[in-house]
Amino acid sequence: MSKQETPSGTQQSEFALGHWGMHRISRSAAGEPNLIPWEGDGNPSPIGLDQLSDEVQALRVRRPSFRESWLRDGAGARRERRGSDRFVEVPWDEAFELVAMELNRVIATHGNKSIFGGSYGWGSAGRFHHAQSQIHRFLNTVGGYVKGRDSYSFGAGSVIMPHIAAPMEQLLDQHTDWTTLAAHCELFVAFGGIPLRNAQMTAGGPSRHRVREALDQMRARGVRFVNVSPLKQDIDGPADWMPIRPGCDVALILGLLHVLISENLDNREFLSRYCVGAEQVKRYVLGDKDGQAKTPQWASTITGVPAQKIVELAHDIARSKTMINASWSIQRQSHGEQTYWAIVTLAAHIGQIGQSGGGFGIGYATLNSVGSSELGISGPRLSQGSNAVKEFIPVARIADALLNPGARFDYDGSNYKYPDIRLIYWAGGNPYHHHQDLNRFIDAWRKPETIIIHEQFWTSSAKAADIVLPASMTLERDDIGFASREGQLVAMKLLREPIADARSDFEIFAGIARSMGKGHEFTEGRTAEEWLEYMYEEFRQRNSSILSIPLFQDFWAAGRVEFQTPNKPTIMFEGFRTDPEGNPLKTPSGRIELFSEKIAGFGYDDCPGQATWLEPVEWLGSQKADRFPLHLLSQEPRRRLHSQLDHSPHSRAGKVKGREPILLNPKDADARGIADGQVVRVFNERGACLASAQITEDLLEGVAVIATGAWFDPTEWKPTNSLEKHGNPNAVTIDAPASKLSQATVAQSCLVQVEAFVGELPAVTAFDLPEFAPALENEAYQSSQV
Ligand SMILES: Nc1nc2c(c(=O)[nH]1)N[C@H]1C(S)=C(S)[C@@H](COP(=O)(O)OP(=O)(O)OC[C@H]3O[C@@H](n4cnc5c(=O)[nH]c(N)nc54)[C@H](O)[C@@H]3O)O[C@H]1N2
Ligand SMILES: Nc1nc2c(c(=O)[nH]1)N[C@H]1C(S)=C(S)[C@@H](COP(=O)(O)OP(=O)(O)OC[C@H]3O[C@@H](n4cnc5c(=O)[nH]c(N)nc54)[C@H](O)[C@@H]3O)O[C@H]1N2
Ligand SMILES: [Mo]
């Protein structure tokens, strides 16, 4: 079942794999390595090709580095200097001892439940040197840690979906494949678009970038696309654009449902056989519950979409084989659970769920792997052991947890207490990129006594840590590349030795574990090379009944193994549709729950028992829009992966005057006297950042867009009145929960004002190294000073 790729010659025998795709490694006559696109990929991403450039390498963390005050005066010293303090470089043997002593101290004084090791983030591709697996395995070995639950990507979706249909991960793996869609779909309605920009990525590494070709095929077969989004560019190529105010998708969907229900266009047979709750939906939509019929006119007032357009779209949806897709961004919002519930409710009323060509999607084009025809299997993995600490936080509530130890919070029907975090340990993520309201986060970040980070680069999170341990890059270690539905295994071979004193996360954790007397427990006596073989063999045996996979040595020699594409199409919910009693869903009723007794029973005012329009905390219809009249969206960046490689030439080429562009509608720019390319100040009561105006007709009036990932660069590391200089939208986003159900991030619910920046422009310092102090004369560690 597998084909091995024979290398065509020594010149091209090596592959590099990143979350953005496969590269070939070529060498100059002098033997210098260079990354080039892999010829097997018809639409390769330029991201990552320049990761060996001087610009990228100049910002490497080269040696273990300790914040001067921490090293001089002990844990907890002068925490307000985090971000601006100097660093002292320390040799590895000392660093291992210092970290081990500090972990031992915190564990002995406060217990493992005072260590936050959630450590959210994407890290790098590669199944063994997977930073998250390594840190979790390490912290479990030393007695456990407080976890972070769910994700920033689809936190609201992952809590609501199992109640109403199935877990997110299962759904994502079951998306009807693009080939089947091309053959059967007629109308593809995309809430939040299907941007090729985002489909560059698969966590773990794409093989061939397939989405552009998939959309071309669908268009060639006559599929019509509707882009429901404030931004026209959210679908590349021909599509009908239906601009909508951000945060209002539920209202639009209720308007569509009103047409379907009142004109008898709803599929009652499907609703009664496969769903529960259609009656409650009907009563709410017709206004029997609250006296307000959710008519297209009502929806139009909220969404800004003309009522006639809503009626037409409802007719088109009902009369065609229609795929209704939702981006992840539309649930990364206040009451984000409701948007996904509404999407499912709409698709259920059309009754095409489980058929080829129709139904719903929740993430086509968020990643390259969604809608792939390749095999869905779980790959080689590093065992993380078990966690003796039961405390957790919903991942996006980290600042709340740090600021309010012991406070209670609701989550998915239960009530919990925030732990008292004394030490933060991070590897493979960049919280000063990913968290909202970073000024508030600066305050929260001052609470713990010690913050340890493994990083490859001097990111803002590294600069704000107490202990920074230098991690190697994927090109500096051997690993196995794999992602489900990408159809391949890749030998990711070391290209060069790690720079300076950098080491892999595995070696770093092994060194600390050794100093804590737990070396063998962590490594099980295996070297990194032995772990690769061990993990590979476990994977090979686990899948031997469905796949013939070569022995490790043959795989390693070949460099790449491609799995055969299954010849059976993937159709989401096909089994359930064929036999709902034989293949019930794992919801309480076994059916799709348009009304959930269970959720209704939680009694949450911000998450009732069925898809409901609830005003977002911030939106263009709120009172606050008087003062902050623009809705700021922060989309995923075209030229990098989150904050990763923002310092690369490719990412920097997308900046204007060294700052991240902000998209503005010409009317909004004119009203503020802002010219294209001009630096503007984006602000609200939480903070301010600078960005460069990029004026476009492609954006709905009243909306502004900044891509995420410009390295956070405050003029001063303090919680108030600090101007962010580089264009990081999290200087202004709100750190509030989607609801009591999920406690997820609401990064997209954000109002701002924008004005031309006057005065002298502060220089961008995001890509400067921190200051280093000379080695301390007496490096006595003052662990008692807390
Ligand atoms: N405003 C706003 N904010 C958002 C979002 C939004 O839409 N709007 N989106 C959110 C989403 S969906 C996500 S997923 C998050 C992403 O947030 P993150 O995943 O935290 O972002 P990355 O930039 O990928 O950070 C990964 C870090 O790991 C480091 N790294 C890479 N490889 C290794 C390794 O092998 N070892 C170690 N130790 N480190 C390594 C990289 O240098 C980088 O600093 O951001 C969230 N933040
Ligand atoms: N190049 C690149 N690709 C990536 C990533 C990256 O960093 N770089 N990150 C990856 C990750 S971790 C994730 S989670 C996914 C994220 O995938 P998504 O969350 O789907 O991506 P976004 O770019 O945040 O949002 C897509 C579009 O939704 C629109 N939108 C925002 N709010 C609303 C709304 O209220 N209503 C409607 N109708 N539309 C709205 C915006 O115009 C935005 O451009 O992307 C992945 N792909
Ligand atoms: Mo994400």
Side-chain angles (χ1 to χ4, degrees), residues 192-234:
I194 33 171
L196 292 178
R197 182 188 84 231
N198 289 354
Q200 289 177 100
M201 304 297 165
T202 288
S207 49
R208 299 174 172 85
H209 286 87
R210 57 180 70 84
V211 181
R212 186 177 73 185
E213 193 188 335
L215 299 186
D216 288 348
Q217 265 175 17
M218 288 172 72
R219 285 200 179 93
R221 301 287 294 253
V223 179
R224 185 182 144 221
F225 290 88
V226 178
N227 176 24
V228 184
S229 168
L231 184 61
K232 192 173 176 203
Q233 305 153 6
D234 278 339

Side-chain angles (χ1 to χ4, degrees), residues 575-776:
F576 171 63
R577 177 146 197 147
T578 315
D579 180 7
E581 286 76 33
N583 304 307
L585 303 182
K586 293 206 174 61
T587 58
S589 60
R591 301 192 195 174
I592 298 171
E593 303 222 341
L594 307 184
F595 179 88
S596 161
E597 297 277 358
K598 193 165 170 203
I599 294 180
F602 296 159
Y604 296 150
D605 53 353
D606 51 10
C607 188
Q610 69 190 81
T612 304
W613 162 249
L614 301 165
E615 279 199 41
V617 321
E618 291 187 11
W619 69 298
L620 289 170
S622 50
Q623 273 222 316
K624 204 167 171 184
D626 294 347
R627 273 194 304 152
F628 302 112
L630 295 175
H631 192 122
L632 181 71
L633 298 176
S634 38
Q635 57 172 203
E636 302 298 340
R638 181 181 301 279
R639 288 171 172 271
R640 54 183 175 259
L641 171 62
H642 317 127
S643 69
Q644 291 193 48
L645 298 176
D646 186 37
H647 52 321
S648 69
H650 180 60
S651 175
R652 289 197 212 190
K655 310 212 182 222
V656 179
K657 301 205 170 93
R659 300 167 218 252
E660 202 57 31
I662 179 170
L663 305 186
L664 293 171
N665 178 282
K667 289 195 186 121
D668 292 319
D670 283 352
R672 292 164 177 78
I674 295 167
D676 195 64
Q678 192 172 358
V679 175
V680 298
R681 184 171 161 267
V682 184
F683 64 99
N684 56 23
E685 80 282 20
R686 293 180 286 273
C689 70
L690 299 182
S692 298
Q694 216 161 58
I695 299 173
T696 172
E697 297 271 4
D698 286 355
L699 182 64
L700 180 68
E701 193 182 344
V703 183
V705 179
I706 306 185
T708 59
W711 284 13
F712 181 62
D713 192 17
T715 35
E716 284 180 88
W717 282 82
K718 56 178 198 182
T720 47
N721 294 325
S722 184
L723 177 67
E724 200 283 332
K725 300 176 283 186
H726 192 200
N728 185 313
N730 283 324
V732 290
T733 50
I734 186 168
D735 182 6
S739 80
K740 297 184 189 74
L741 188 84
S742 71
Q743 298 284 354
T745 178
V746 305
Q748 306 305 332
S749 303
C750 175
L751 289 176
V752 296
Q753 180 56 293
V754 173
E755 64 184 17
F757 179 80
V758 283
E760 200 181 323
L761 262 181
V764 173
T765 50
F767 302 139
D768 292 355
L769 291 170
E771 266 190 73
F772 290 92
L776 300 192

Side-chain angles (χ1 to χ4, degrees), residues 120 122 152-153 328 332 636 642:
Y120 184 81
W122 270 56
Y152 282 77
S153 309
W328 293 344
R332 213 176 296 120
E636 302 298 340
H642 317 127

Side-chain angles (χ1 to χ4, degrees), residues 336-376:
E337 300 87 354
Q338 306 305 313
T339 51
Y340 272 23
W341 212 342
I343 290 281
V344 174
T345 305
L346 177 60
H349 279 71
I350 309 160
Q352 298 172 2
I353 294 172
Q355 295 182 335
S356 38
F360 69 89
I362 39 166
Y364 281 110
T366 53
L367 298 175
N368 185 54
S369 55
V370 179
S372 158
S373 318
E374 303 292 348
L375 197 63

Side-chain angles (χ1 to χ4, degrees), residues 242-388:
M242 180 174 271
I244 182 171
R245 282 187 197 126
C248 300
D249 301 85
V250 173
L252 175 62
I253 293 169
L254 290 170
L256 293 168
L257 283 166
H258 192 275
V259 180
L260 297 179
I261 293 170
S262 57
E263 297 186 18
N264 294 324
L265 292 170
D266 51 341
N267 187 331
R268 308 241 165 101
E269 203 190 316
F270 183 88
L271 291 170
S272 67
R273 175 126 198 245
Y274 298 97
C275 308
V276 294
E279 270 314 304
Q280 283 96 328
V281 173
K282 186 173 178 177
R283 280 207 298 279
Y284 174 62
V285 167
L286 296 182
D288 298 350
K289 272 181 123 174
D290 57 359
Q292 173 63 63
K294 313 300 177 298
T295 61
Q297 194 52 52
W298 169 86
S300 175
T301 318
I302 295 169
T303 59
V305 180
Q308 190 49 37
K309 290 269 178 204
I310 300 177
V311 175
E312 282 165 21
L313 183 61
H315 290 166
D316 291 347
I317 283 178
R319 287 176 192 143
S320 316
K321 187 62 79 177
T322 307
M323 172 54 74
I324 316 250
N325 184 57
S327 64
W328 293 344
S329 56
I330 70 163
Q331 58 76 65
R332 213 176 296 120
Q333 317 210 342
S334 189
H335 312 125
E337 300 87 354
Q338 306 305 313
T339 51
Y340 272 23
W341 212 342
I343 290 281
V344 174
T345 305
L346 177 60
H349 279 71
I350 309 160
Q352 298 172 2
I353 294 172
Q355 295 182 335
S356 38
F360 69 89
I362 39 166
Y364 281 110
T366 53
L367 298 175
N368 185 54
S369 55
V370 179
S372 158
S373 318
E374 303 292 348
L375 197 63
I377 46 168
S378 136
R381 54 190 176 219
L382 175 69
S383 147
Q384 301 181 11
S386 66
N387 190 347

